[in-house]
Amino acid sequence: MAGKLRYMDSRPDEQQRDSDSDAKNHLINVIDSPGHVDFFGEVSTALRICDGCIIIVDVIEGVCAQTRAALQQAWLARVRPILVLNKIDRLFVEKKLSPLDIHIQLTQTLEQVNAFIGELFASEVLAKMNATLDEQQKSDEKRQQATTEKQMSKKQIFYDWSSGLDDIDDSGVYFSPENGNVLFASAIDGWGFTIADFAQILSTKLGFSVNALTKTLWGDYYLNVREKRIQKGAQSKAKKPLFVTFVLENLSKIYEKFLIKHDKFEMIKMAQSLDITLETRDIDRTDHRQTLMQLFNQWIPLSRSLLRIVCDIVPAPCDINEERVERFITGNQTRRFDSLPLQTQLLKRAFLECRPRKSSDDNDNHM
Ligand SMILES: Nc1nc2c(ncn2[C@@H]2O[C@H](COP(=O)(O)OP(=O)(O)OP(=O)(O)O)[C@@H](O)[C@H]2O)c(=O)[nH]1
Ligand SMILES: [Mg+2]
């Protein structure tokens, strides 16, 4: 609610908008965790009982110590993360950046987050390889002592490590707007969207498929107006990327017309171009930000996109993967799962089946 005690979907027409007849039902429990590093115990406790997490980054502050700590905790707990790039309004209103500069800022924030994920991934892979190599080396040494062969050189081990890293597909571990695990937002103004949300909005307007737009709306693509085609290489050809032309320029215009100029005629025209009808009482508000929020709430409401991304990305509890269950039982990596007593190992199946613990299990439980 970003500090406001106001229920946004209070009007019948707004409530109607979201009552999709073929919508599936979802039950979602949300735990809010404190951001301050002093309370990190609470974050790791929360992560152990969650199937996904929403990591919110302030696009002005960028990646801070708390962000890194939260990302690391989520990584270790093997919880499926969603990244929210929040406070984008500040780039328009306070920083007064151009859409092109905002695009750069968002790209850089995303890169900062992914660079840290890359570090987590690499250090884990190296630690695993190190452990395997240690075991290999030990058995090699035994053999070598027997056969008096030369010892494996350090150089060779190093080469093996890095070549191993290259071989591993790490593409699934990063945040990427085109793959749907990133949400762009301004919580204070009540708007938010994923690339797929915007592709949906633009598809009929531009005459491209939702699929094609989802793949190209974030990347280095531009619209070749003459040929009516989406083409790669916006940067090298000094063209505006699609995200700038069709997303950020629209948002920029809205902020300008609603907050800076506040011209009624312009506001109505803008709303109409987005297929939104603003009521007179909304347009006449003295608090311009409230009018702006009414527009956003009908156009790209944060609640809708946030719930959708959670449903898309976060697995259902019964879809928990084996590795995560093993981590629950071993307490991360302090013990090997297969070194645990058999009865304890059998708990894994109960976890995978989401089977509640029965009182008759008591006799079997050797944890
Ligand atoms: N401009 C702007 N301010 C925001 C936005 N979202 C939150 N804020 C402000 O940022 C401040 C912190 O918001 P909180 O919701 O308390 O953030 P938090 O991450 O829960 O903070 P902790 O619980 O202390 O970790 C408040 O003053 C909010 O009004 C946004 O999208 N834009
Ligand atoms: Mg909070």
Side-chain angles (χ1 to χ4, degrees):
M1 290 303 290
K4 289 181 296 288
L5 278 175
R6 188 160 173 275
Y7 186 54
M8 297 303 295
D9 284 349
S10 55
R11 306 189 323 187
D13 56 336
E14 289 169 327
Q15 287 171 1
Q16 199 63 40
R17 276 174 69 92
D18 282 342
S19 56
D20 221 324
S21 57
D22 57 6
K24 271 199 247 164
N25 288 326
H26 294 272
L27 173 66
I28 301 164
N29 293 303
V30 183
I31 300 176
D32 180 25
S33 63
H36 197 277
V37 262
D38 284 357
F39 300 102
F40 248 85
E42 291 185 36
V43 174
S44 54
T45 307
L47 281 167
R48 284 179 73 81
I49 53 172
C50 289
D51 301 289
C53 67
I54 302 166
I55 300 207
I56 305 172
V57 175
D58 175 337
V59 291
I60 303 260
E61 303 289 329
V63 174
C64 302
Q66 303 97 293
T67 324
R68 276 192 284 271
L71 283 166
Q72 184 171 24
Q73 297 272 343
W75 172 269
L76 290 174
R78 291 294 188 269
V79 164
R80 195 82 59 83
I82 291 164
L83 179 69
V84 176
L85 297 175
N86 191 36
K87 303 201 188 179
I88 296 178
D89 60 284
R90 294 179 68 190
L91 300 176
F92 293 103
V93 183
E94 281 171 43
K95 298 275 170 187
K96 300 192 166 50
L97 296 183
S98 70
L100 207 57
D101 285 338
I102 292 178
H103 187 235
I104 294 170
Q105 175 102 7
L106 295 176
T107 309
Q108 283 172 350
T109 312
L110 184 66
E111 277 168 7
Q112 279 178 14
V113 176
N114 278 334
F116 185 66
I117 301 272
E119 280 174 34
L120 292 173
F121 182 75
S123 62
E124 187 162 299
V125 172
L126 290 181
K128 267 188 199 154
M129 286 185 169
N130 201 358
T132 324
L133 273 169
D134 266 0
E135 275 176 24
Q136 254 176 25
Q137 202 173 9
K138 269 185 209 141
S139 63
D140 277 358
E141 272 168 13
K142 273 188 202 152
R143 224 183 307 131
Q144 279 164 6
Q145 273 169 1
T147 56
T148 64
E149 269 180 21
K150 270 193 294 174
Q151 285 228 332
M152 215 177 173
S153 74
K154 279 251 183 309
K155 221 174 176 180
Q156 196 184 347
I157 297 172
F158 207 75
Y159 171 73
D160 283 342
W161 282 4
S162 50
S163 68
L165 253 188
D166 284 345
D167 288 344
I168 291 167
D169 178 16
D170 61 354
S171 55
V173 305
Y174 294 107
F175 289 108
S176 81
E178 61 271 39
N179 289 339
N181 57 3
V182 179
L183 188 90
F184 300 86
S186 162
I188 210 151
D189 291 331
W191 61 259
F193 61 85
T194 62
I195 286 299
D197 291 335
F198 237 98
Q200 190 88 45
I201 293 173
L202 293 171
S203 174
T204 25
K205 206 166 241 172
L206 299 180
F208 293 105
S209 72
V210 175
N211 203 9
L213 282 170
T214 304
K215 284 188 190 135
T216 54
L217 200 50
W218 174 252
D220 184 36
Y221 296 89
Y222 69 98
L223 181 68
N224 183 331
V225 183
R226 210 165 351 119
E227 295 181 26
K228 287 203 168 76
R229 273 179 48 199
I230 293 174
Q231 289 186 323
K232 212 175 162 40
Q235 207 177 15
S236 61
K237 292 176 198 158
K239 303 276 187 194
K240 278 186 203 160
L242 291 180
F243 194 76
V244 173
T245 321
F246 296 105
V247 180
L248 296 174
E249 286 188 350
N250 265 328
L251 287 170
S252 169
K253 265 188 229 152
I254 293 174
Y255 274 106
E256 190 195 311
K257 291 190 171 146
F258 281 67
L259 278 193
I260 299 160
K261 293 195 180 144
H262 203 70
D263 176 289
K264 277 188 200 175
F265 178 71
E266 291 271 311
M267 278 158 45
I268 295 169
K269 233 175 65 184
M270 184 83 222
Q272 276 172 350
S273 75
L274 304 171
D275 294 329
I276 286 162
T277 342
L278 284 179
E279 292 184 10
T280 324
R281 67 175 171 122
D282 290 329
I283 292 166
D284 287 341
R285 280 177 205 274
T286 42
D287 182 352
H288 300 173
R289 203 121 194 178
Q290 294 287 336
T291 317
L292 182 81
M293 284 163 65
Q294 279 301 332
L295 177 91
F296 281 134
N297 190 43
Q298 290 190 59
W299 186 40
I300 42 173
L302 175 60
S303 52
R304 189 176 62 194
S305 59
L306 190 63
L307 284 177
R308 194 180 288 158
I309 197 172
V310 166
C311 295
D312 285 349
I313 298 292
V314 178
C318 50
D319 293 332
I320 192 167
N321 73 23
E322 290 199 24
E323 188 189 4
R324 198 159 175 238
V325 173
E326 290 184 9
R327 276 170 180 250
F328 272 143
I329 300 175
T330 55
N332 287 342
Q333 297 135 309
T334 39
R335 289 184 70 177
R336 283 175 65 108
F337 182 76
D338 52 19
S339 73
L340 296 173
L342 186 64
Q343 291 290 352
T344 310
Q345 289 192 41
L346 287 176
L347 282 173
K348 181 167 149 183
R349 206 178 328 139
F351 264 104
L352 288 171
E353 290 168 2
C354 258
R355 184 149 45 88
R357 188 169 162 274
K358 288 189 251 102
S359 52
S360 62
D361 287 348
D362 275 349
N363 299 338
D364 304 338
N365 194 342
H366 289 229
M367 279 271 278

